[in-house]
Amino acid sequence: MTARIIPPGATVGVLGGGQLGRMFAIAARRMGYRVHTLSPDDDTPTGQVADREIRAAYDDLDAVRAFARGVSVVTFEFENVSAAAAEAAAEQAPVRPAGTVLHTTQNRLREKGFLRRAGFPVAPFAAVRSRAELEQAVAAIGTPAVLKTAGWGYDGKGQAKISTPEDAAAAWEALTTDEAILEAFVDFEREVSVVAARGVDGAFAAFGVLANDHTNHILDVTVAPAPVPPEVERAAVEIARGILEGLEVVGVLCVEMFLTRSGSLLINELAPRPHNSGHLTFDACVTSQFEQQLRAICGLPLGSTELLRPAAMANLLGDLWQDGEPDWAAACRHPAVKLHLYGKAAPRPGRKMGHLTALAADPAEARRIVLAARKALSPHP
Ligand code: AMP
């Protein structure tokens, strides 16, 4: 199949206004594209870099249609856009990845159901829609387990650990929705992810395996390459390939996985877009995950995912601001540390404000440097 190319000079549309759209817009503008963004806010991280920022609700279907009419292709950086909005956009321009991918990945039950049916490795799970179903699920899956809202969850929001069957009642009461998933708790060795892309022509390219540390369910530090055996690396990339092909993704998708203590991989969740764990590709790879998203959705050949140097990324959350403005010069003092800030005005605790990437001779050294640079940011250590 020869795909029609959307060439530099064309306008690409991004649904969503956060940092993922911002870094996508930087990559797109560097390659000579124009960028329009639509989100419910003004002066967004994406809007600050885009050519045009449109403020509208995602469920304002007329606004979404008008937005899509003004661009050659629509992508998104916020995956909880409704199926109706994705369809409205698709009446006017190609939406990549398609709304069907969003539909599958924005609900944990649909996502895990797809993965299990297709034979991908996932921990035992069960659908929970009532307290009685939760009790049955706890009996079937055992404890410890994790109860998660099925929809609209991210960064650990809407999750409760059930350590003993007696915890079930309180966990159900604490839930704010009536559709949830109970998953077996995975006693993992480490968390890893694979960010991969698939082109309009079916071409596939993956960045190598990334090792992720979370704090309070939020990604804290990513290191590349992940310290995993080559067979784990190969298996993780093949899982990603199978998923992108199975979902017919055109664009970028991240597969978050647990590496168990026995060396097997279990998929935690999918994100049909560039991912926080792939931010280090901006500075450390031949092609960043954002440029790869652009190439994929525009029908261009995918770029090399080669890692130029071992790297580590540390997130900068709003908590860093609690004693005043961070000492940016201190972090920049290390010549191999790159500072990324997302242009957000209000540094709320837990809010992703930016990140640091360090490049070094080996991943452990990169990690040491990035953590030291982040520590140096605090004005009163
Ligand atoms: P999620 O929002 O599902 O990505 O969960 C956020 C984090 O919670 C994950 O990155 C893990 O650190 C932890 N977590 C989620 N589900 C499980 C599980 N089934 N077993 C162990 N840890 C989990």
Side-chain angles (χ1 to χ4, degrees):
M1 186 173 71
T2 39
R4 202 172 60 81
I5 283 170
I6 297 166
T11 303
V12 293
V14 185
L15 290 173
Q19 62 270 16
L20 301 175
R22 179 187 184 90
M23 289 181 268
F24 171 81
I26 290 169
R29 292 192 67 153
R30 195 172 65 175
M31 280 177 63
Y33 287 86
R34 293 182 175 275
V35 179
H36 292 181
T37 172
L38 180 146
S39 84
D41 300 307
D42 267 335
D43 192 33
T44 61
T46 310
Q48 291 166 13
V49 178
D51 294 81
R52 240 188 113 192
E53 177 173 50
I54 292 130
R55 182 178 182 174
Y58 298 118
D59 55 9
D60 179 344
L61 300 187
D62 288 334
V64 170
R65 267 186 213 100
F67 169 74
R69 215 174 294 130
V71 302
S72 296
V73 59
V74 174
T75 190
F76 46 84
E77 66 100 51
F78 171 74
E79 74 244 50
N80 285 323
V81 172
S82 71
E87 275 166 32
E91 291 166 17
Q92 311 295 330
V95 175
R96 294 175 179 159
T100 49
V101 180
L102 288 185
H103 182 72
T104 303
T105 57
Q106 64 194 193
N107 178 289
R108 293 184 192 273
L109 281 169
R110 281 199 291 270
E111 179 173 282
K112 284 267 158 66
F114 155 76
L115 292 169
R116 190 159 66 183
R117 276 193 307 280
F120 293 106
V122 291
F125 70 90
V128 172
R129 296 190 178 87
S130 67
R131 197 173 144 177
E133 270 189 12
L134 177 58
E135 276 160 19
Q136 286 163 20
V138 170
I141 286 171
T143 54
V146 188
L147 184 68
K148 303 178 178 179
T149 53
W152 310 95
Y154 65 97
D155 285 348
K157 293 196 173 62
Q159 290 192 18
K161 188 167 174 189
I162 297 182
S163 300
T164 67
E166 290 69 51
D167 294 347
W172 179 252
E173 290 310 316
L175 216 63
T176 48
T177 64
D178 50 12
E179 191 186 42
I181 182 170
L182 186 76
E183 297 176 2
F185 188 81
V186 180
D187 179 27
F188 53 80
E189 163 99 35
R190 64 172 71 252
E191 293 189 75
V192 297
S193 56
V194 173
V195 175
R198 188 168 168 274
V200 181
D201 60 355
F204 173 83
F207 295 94
V209 178
L210 304 159
N212 303 319
D213 290 344
H214 292 78
T215 303
N216 300 327
H217 299 279
I218 302 177
L219 183 64
D220 185 35
V221 175
T222 297
V223 171
V228 296
E231 61 275 16
V232 170
E233 164 111 32
R234 275 195 297 276
V237 170
E238 284 316 304
I239 287 171
R241 182 197 301 273
I243 292 171
L244 274 87
E245 288 177 355
L247 290 172
E248 297 184 39
V249 170
V250 175
V252 166
L253 182 140
C254 174
V255 186
E256 290 183 61
M257 289 171 265
F258 301 118
L259 178 60
T260 67
R261 294 188 192 280
S262 60
S264 57
L265 292 162
L266 293 172
I267 299 165
N268 175 30
E269 64 176 357
L270 311 179
R273 48 164 174 78
H275 188 259
N276 195 167
S277 61
H279 288 0
L280 55 74
T281 62
F282 220 147
D283 300 304
C285 293
V286 173
T287 310
S288 74
Q289 61 170 350
F290 304 102
E291 180 180 331
Q292 200 74 304
Q293 178 186 19
L294 176 79
R295 286 169 174 251
I297 67 167
C298 289
L300 293 172
L302 300 180
S304 162
T305 56
E306 185 189 347
L307 183 70
L308 296 168
R309 288 196 81 192
M313 184 280 322
N315 269 337
L316 306 178
L317 301 184
D319 311 57
L320 261 178
W321 274 250
Q322 70 184 12
D323 294 325
E325 187 71 14
D327 182 355
W328 302 120
C332 293
R333 208 155 284 140
H334 196 289
V337 169
K338 311 295 285 183
L339 171 65
H340 297 253
L341 288 171
Y342 307 147
K344 298 181 184 179
R348 289 188 292 275
R351 190 174 195 206
K352 291 174 180 172
M353 302 295 290
H355 68 268
L356 299 173
T357 306
L359 306 175
D362 67 71
E365 177 71 354
R367 183 191 171 86
R368 195 190 60 70
I369 293 169
V370 87
L371 290 178
R374 183 168 69 179
K375 195 155 180 232
L377 285 173
S378 293
H380 313 292

